[in-house]
Amino acid sequence: MAMLLAVPLVLGCGPAESPRATGLPVETRASGIRIRLTDVQARLIGTVLRLELRREMATRPSETFLPITAEMLDVTGFVGDERLWGSLVSYPERDGWLPVDLLVGYRPAEPGEATVTIEWLLVAPEPGLNGSPRRIEGPWTFVLPRSVFDRAAVAPTVFAVEREIATDHPDLRIVLHRLLSSQAGTGIVYRLETGKLGPSNVLENGLRVRLSNGGLMEASGEWPLPDGSRVAEFPPLGEQTRAFAVEWYPWVVAHPEPVRIELDLSPLWAVPEGAIVPLGTAFELGGEPLTVTSVQRRGDEMVLVVRNQLDPEARRRLLVGPVWEGIVLRADTGKVYRNIGGSTGLERDERGGVFAGASTLEFELPPVGTQRVWLEVPVTGRLVRAPAVTLALDE
């Protein structure tokens, strides 16, 4: 996940000393950037270091930190696949500090002292500003003695899978890479390949595990890895559980089938604000019947609700998907009212199944008395499913 939080940066002077982490937090600085290590967490995928980054002076235009990659790191004392090391996720800035989770490897069988060095950082101008990414030289080095290193992750047992799973969309497929198993839990490492769609045109919704006794287990967390794959972490499945099924929640993909629907808003102005006004305007999308069921005024906003009329299991089309750009309400006067929010409309039934429910779209409120408008959606949504797959911890 790219770190795209705005932080003013500055080139300072002098390299950092290497602080010895007898306790946390511990801080180092170089080139006008302070970095402190505040926590060490053991996870199935490796050891996660919670870092916080801060600029010392704000004499340059705001820039965004780009992800820390394996090429920027010099790590000793950890074992594992170094290609996977780097930024996992960043969080909103707090009091001038930008929290970042950095993934490194596992604690070896005979741990000693370990060091983690960030050799350099990349920053880029904020969106909308001109300029190219630039490199800020460090280094920022932390020495982790045994007292801190004992909190690092122990390598799990790894089961290679390497299995491809087709979906009901020609450009979307899953590649299962491996299973991770330890006393801390079970991890499923996979990659979603989006082909011609591209990742920005796909909404992911995760996966769950169905045990042999029929019980369902939700992931305790899901994390992107620096190599583009993802890991879903689950609590321990139980000593007797060797095989289980992985069930995929459906994806929503962008579908290049535009919609233009004429709506009569005259009933909206005859009721008090907040009242839900039935519309019942029917249209088809990909051969499936949809209906604009209602409209409502909420202050200076207007909300439309659109529902697929097929049985839940048969629904594949949604009015909106990952792409919201270009959705407008156009009045007969030619005035255009922009979309200011809404939801795709995935819903869950009592059995835990996920299906296409009611999409909502929020718009700027047209003037009182506006009667005829057109709802224009240039890119709609399509639900994509994949079959469950059975895996075993002795593959």
Side-chain angles (χ1 to χ4, degrees):
M1 178 180 295
M3 294 183 290
L4 295 176
L5 296 180
V7 180
L9 300 176
V10 61
L11 286 176
C13 57
E17 295 182 358
S18 301
R20 184 172 298 274
T22 56
L24 299 178
V26 63
E27 182 179 314
T28 183
R29 66 182 66 192
S31 300
I33 305 296
R34 296 163 60 188
I35 303 180
R36 65 186 183 190
L37 171 65
T38 63
D39 196 14
V40 176
Q41 301 174 359
R43 292 188 189 164
L44 276 167
I45 53 176
T47 303
V48 174
L49 308 180
R50 170 60 61 83
L51 302 177
E52 295 182 348
L53 287 68
R54 183 186 182 97
R55 78 284 186 193
E56 291 188 312
M57 293 175 290
T59 59
R60 297 203 58 171
S62 292
E63 294 175 302
T64 59
F65 285 102
L66 298 182
I68 300 170
T69 63
E71 292 76 18
M72 303 178 189
L73 297 173
D74 183 8
V75 178
T76 64
F78 288 88
V79 297
D81 188 348
E82 297 180 6
R83 297 171 299 174
L84 299 179
W85 299 357
S87 299
L88 277 181
V89 65
S90 64
Y91 301 90
E93 184 178 334
R94 296 195 304 264
D95 300 325
W97 292 92
L98 176 67
V100 175
D101 282 349
L102 184 74
L103 176 67
V104 290
Y106 299 100
R107 177 162 53 94
E110 297 182 2
E113 192 171 78
T115 63
V116 176
T117 298
I118 303 172
E119 298 282 5
W120 44 280
L121 291 168
L122 276 180
V123 295
E126 285 187 71
L129 297 179
N130 294 326
S132 302
R134 65 184 180 94
R135 175 167 165 159
I136 300 179
E137 298 292 342
W140 298 265
T141 298
F142 298 93
V143 179
L144 305 180
R146 183 66 178 267
S147 60
V148 174
F149 199 26
D150 281 345
R151 295 158 61 179
V154 176
T157 303
V158 179
F159 302 92
V161 179
E162 295 302 332
R163 186 181 304 180
E164 294 186 3
I165 303 167
T167 71
D168 58 12
H169 191 288
D171 292 319
L172 204 64
R173 67 171 185 166
I174 311 157
V175 180
L176 278 170
H177 289 305
R178 55 195 179 277
L179 299 179
L180 312 176
S181 179
S182 75
Q183 291 183 345
T186 300
I188 300 171
V189 181
Y190 72 98
R191 181 191 305 269
L192 183 66
E193 297 189 347
T194 57
K196 298 177 182 178
L197 284 169
S200 64
N201 287 319
V202 180
L203 287 177
E204 296 190 51
N205 293 299
L207 62 149
R208 65 186 180 186
V209 162
R210 186 177 295 274
L211 305 177
S212 56
N213 62 5
L216 290 174
M217 186 174 289
E218 302 288 343
S220 55
E222 185 164 335
W223 314 98
L225 296 177
D227 69 345
S229 59
R230 302 179 66 86
V231 58
E233 296 186 1
F234 293 84
L237 302 183
E239 294 183 1
Q240 305 304 315
T241 301
R242 306 303 300 171
F244 53 90
V246 177
E247 298 182 351
W248 310 93
Y249 287 118
W251 298 268
V252 181
V253 304
H255 190 71
E257 183 175 348
V259 165
R260 190 172 191 262
I261 311 159
E262 183 178 348
L263 301 174
D264 179 10
L265 296 185
S266 55
L268 181 64
W269 316 115
V271 297
E273 178 184 333
I276 298 176
V277 179
L279 286 183
T281 304
F283 65 100
E284 280 198 358
L285 183 58
E288 298 184 11
L290 280 75
T291 302
V292 184
T293 60
S294 65
V295 63
Q296 182 185 30
R297 274 190 293 166
R298 297 178 184 171
D300 58 357
E301 300 177 3
M302 186 186 79
V303 181
L304 293 170
V305 178
V306 181
R307 181 174 290 277
N308 191 311
Q309 298 300 319
L310 291 178
D311 291 335
E313 292 297 326
R315 299 173 189 169
R316 288 294 182 271
R317 296 302 175 89
L318 301 100
L319 183 62
V320 289
V323 179
W324 287 77
E325 289 81 7
I327 298 177
V328 298
L329 203 65
R330 192 180 304 275
D332 53 7
T333 61
K335 174 72 173 176
V336 173
Y337 301 93
R338 63 187 181 93
N339 171 252
I340 55 176
S343 65
T344 297
L346 291 185
E347 297 179 2
R348 181 177 295 200
D349 62 21
E350 65 278 0
R351 297 172 297 170
V354 175
F355 58 91
S359 301
T360 61
L361 297 100
E362 301 169 9
F363 293 94
E364 298 170 320
L365 184 67
V368 174
T370 300
Q371 294 189 3
R372 198 165 54 151
V373 296
W374 285 266
L375 172 61
E376 298 179 358
V377 182
V379 181
T380 52
R382 174 183 167 186
L383 212 62
V384 175
R385 298 185 182 274
V389 58
T390 299
L391 300 177
L393 290 175
D394 53 2
E395 292 193 3

